Amino acid sequence: CFETEMKKVAIWSAQEVSNWLTEEGMQEYSEYFQHLNGQALLQLTKEDFKQPPLSLVTSDNGRQLLEKIETLKIEHHIEVHKNGHANGHLIMAGSGDAGSKTKRNGVPNGFRKEMVQIPIPEPERSPFPLEWGKTAVAFIYALTCFVFTTIIISVVHERVPPKEANPPLPDKFFDIFDRVEWAFSICEINGMVLVGLWLFQWILLKYKSIIGRRFFFIVGTLYLYRCITMYITTLPVPGMHFKCSPKLFGDWESQMRRVMKMIAGGGLSITGSHTMCGDYLYSGHTVMLTLTYLFIKEYSPKRFWWYHWICWTLSAVGIFCILLAHDHYTVDVVVAYFITTRLFWWYHTMANQQVLKEKSQSNFFSRVWWYRLFQYFEDNVQGIVPRNYHWPFSWRALMSSVAVRYTRIDT
């Protein structure tokens, strides 16, 4: 039983240390603690985490693991005293024969009882509270922005000038590279792969609620900005190959039906749901290709450099294929990349610096319009969120839940 093993921390084997790390959701240390026993575990200090290889495991300098080890020490100390005497230590009360049967101070053999008080610290508030309610708010915000974007695309589609009257604008990339018809399908396939990888990675994250609401807020804000740019400036189609859906001229019922079809298809051309024109400035595909890569890289271990390079290649090839298909002007892609990376970096800089979460005259970040919403999401998050992973469910708990239990009934 794991609880029984916790009573003997100092004599844990390396395997028991590994089991404990897994139970606590800190498997990232298992590789480095393969030969570490319980006694060595209790002797770890902050200095050990300031040097490689432990300094490369997480970004919190081992703070969480050291806190858990400190809890182990306290539990071990309490268990030692509990195994001695339930109510305290027995202490000699003066000289005398230890084997005497006389009572002194009301206690046999001249001993007296003293209560030993061991202060037990109250459980500290987690520096990274889950707060799933805030994550739900961020999800609703992102979903609302997605729906609003689709509605704006339908509105802008009605304003796109005919390609015969307004041919595509000059573009330097189009002058150099001829159009490749299948390139846009490659872009969307790469985007779906990156989204799938990020979703799988997010499910395994220990602090998925915090990271999830960051993703929802940033992607929602990016699409909200996109609504503004595509509405105020409607560009002609980038190529004569575009086959735009017929305009509906105020038929709102048909427009809403078209909006619902686009939402159901994820706004992808490969699903046949996106047949409207006008959503060029800036590129939504570039936003997703860039943002998923940034989140994948930020919240995965640094030693997974090969994984980062694979995701970067998928993102870069996808963006290049957007231009190769002549489905967006080059300026659409450049603006999308610029806004996505800056919003991601600004948000995480603010989230990782406690002083930037407080409104002041010297904090110019506090003047952005979404600062109050940022404070709401990040107010209780203290410091940089660790890149910790764990299984979303425990095999032991799963097996115990399906196990059949019998109760003896005396008759």
Side-chain angles (χ1 to χ4, degrees):
C1 178
F2 188 72
E3 292 181 358
T4 304
E5 293 172 358
M6 284 189 62
K7 299 175 182 178
K8 305 173 183 178
V9 183
I11 60 172
W12 276 0
S13 65
Q15 182 59 46
E16 288 170 324
V17 170
S18 178
N19 293 341
W20 176 76
L21 289 170
T22 302
E23 287 285 334
E24 297 295 329
M26 312 205 64
Q27 302 94 317
E28 63 268 23
Y29 289 101
S30 299
E31 179 182 348
Y32 302 96
F33 291 169
Q34 290 179 358
H35 307 293
L36 194 79
N37 59 21
Q39 186 64 36
L41 179 70
L42 294 175
Q43 294 174 353
L44 288 174
T45 63
K46 293 182 179 179
E47 298 302 321
D48 297 320
F49 291 89
K50 293 181 180 179
Q51 302 172 359
L54 295 183
S55 62
L56 304 176
V57 180
T58 62
S59 58
D60 68 341
N61 294 325
R63 182 180 55 78
Q64 288 189 84
L65 179 58
L66 288 171
E67 288 177 356
K68 293 181 184 294
I69 293 174
E70 193 64 29
T71 303
L72 278 181
K73 291 179 181 178
I74 294 172
E75 291 173 347
H76 178 67
H77 184 69
I78 292 173
E79 201 59 44
V80 168
H81 285 279
K82 187 188 297 182
N83 292 337
H85 295 281
N87 296 323
H89 296 285
L90 292 178
I91 304 174
M92 285 292 295
S95 61
D97 185 4
S100 174
K101 302 296 184 181
T102 61
K103 290 186 178 181
R104 300 176 185 176
N105 298 329
V107 183
N109 300 331
F111 290 92
R112 59 186 174 83
K113 282 185 179 179
E114 280 191 358
M115 298 297 295
V116 177
Q117 295 184 352
I118 302 175
I120 301 177
E122 295 182 1
E124 295 183 2
R125 185 178 181 181
S126 171
F128 307 107
L130 298 181
E131 299 178 311
W132 280 101
K134 293 183 178 180
T135 307
V137 171
F139 175 75
I140 293 171
Y141 169 76
L143 187 62
T144 303
C145 292
F146 272 121
V147 173
F148 185 60
T149 300
T150 311
I151 295 172
I152 292 297
I153 291 173
S154 180
V155 172
V156 170
H157 175 77
E158 301 294 314
R159 295 168 44 191
V160 176
K163 58 186 177 183
E164 294 79 13
N166 294 82
L169 298 174
D171 191 288
K172 194 64 180 177
F173 187 93
F174 298 167
D175 295 340
I176 299 173
F177 297 95
D178 293 330
R179 178 177 178 262
V180 178
E181 186 175 352
W182 47 262
F184 202 69
S185 296
I186 299 297
C187 156
E188 294 194 331
I189 291 171
N190 285 10
M192 288 188 288
V193 170
L194 282 171
V195 170
L197 288 173
W198 168 237
L199 180 61
F200 179 73
Q201 181 178 325
W202 176 78
I203 291 173
L204 297 179
L205 283 166
K206 184 175 183 179
Y207 301 106
K208 60 176 68 67
S209 61
I210 299 173
I211 298 166
R213 63 176 170 263
R214 289 179 177 179
F215 179 81
F216 292 138
F217 172 76
I218 292 175
V219 75
T221 303
L222 287 169
Y223 272 82
L224 185 62
Y225 287 161
R226 186 168 179 253
C227 290
I228 298 172
T229 56
M230 76 171 76
Y231 182 78
I232 59 178
T233 302
T234 304
L235 301 177
V237 293
M240 299 301 290
H241 63 280
F242 273 87
K243 297 178 181 179
C244 305
S245 297
K247 297 181 180 181
L248 300 175
F249 301 105
D251 186 351
W252 287 101
E253 183 179 349
S254 299
Q255 284 197 27
M256 287 300 103
R257 206 176 290 121
R258 194 158 58 184
V259 166
M260 295 304 297
K261 178 185 175 182
M262 186 174 177
I263 294 173
L268 299 175
S269 299
I270 201 172
T271 61
S273 62
H274 192 351
T275 57
M276 292 182 283
C277 301
D279 58 327
Y280 303 126
L281 189 62
Y282 48 89
S283 168
H285 286 74
T286 303
V287 167
M288 294 306 300
L289 287 165
T290 305
L291 192 63
T292 48
Y293 164 72
L294 291 173
F295 268 93
I296 286 172
K297 185 176 185 296
E298 178 64 24
Y299 294 106
S300 58
K302 293 181 179 179
R303 63 181 182 274
F304 287 4
W305 57 268
W306 51 270
Y307 175 53
H308 300 157
W309 274 107
I310 290 173
C311 294
W312 181 89
T313 302
L314 287 170
S315 177
V317 170
I319 293 173
F320 181 77
C321 283
I322 295 174
L323 297 174
L324 201 59
H326 292 196
D327 268 40
H328 271 284
Y329 292 106
T330 307
V331 68
D332 303 341
V333 173
V334 171
V335 171
Y337 172 81
F338 184 86
I339 295 179
T340 303
T341 52
R342 269 57 188 176
L343 184 58
F344 178 88
W345 292 334
W346 290 340
Y347 188 97
H348 282 77
T349 299
M350 295 164 66
N352 294 340
Q353 302 294 328
Q354 200 63 29
V355 67
L356 297 179
K357 296 180 183 179
E358 301 173 3
K359 196 169 186 178
S360 65
Q361 290 294 326
S362 59
N363 181 13
F364 286 90
F365 285 108
S366 63
R367 302 183 186 184
V368 72
W369 68 268
W370 44 262
Y371 189 75
R372 290 287 182 89
L373 197 55
F374 162 80
Q375 283 184 313
Y376 170 71
F377 290 140
E378 302 290 339
D379 186 45
N380 295 325
V381 180
Q382 308 296 322
I384 301 174
V385 177
R387 302 180 183 93
N388 291 349
Y389 287 81
H390 71 152
W391 289 107
F393 56 87
S394 170
W395 285 108
R396 183 178 299 177
L398 183 64
M399 294 304 293
S400 63
S401 65
V402 300
V404 179
R405 298 184 179 181
Y406 298 92
T407 304
R408 179 178 177 179
I409 302 176
D410 295 327
T411 56

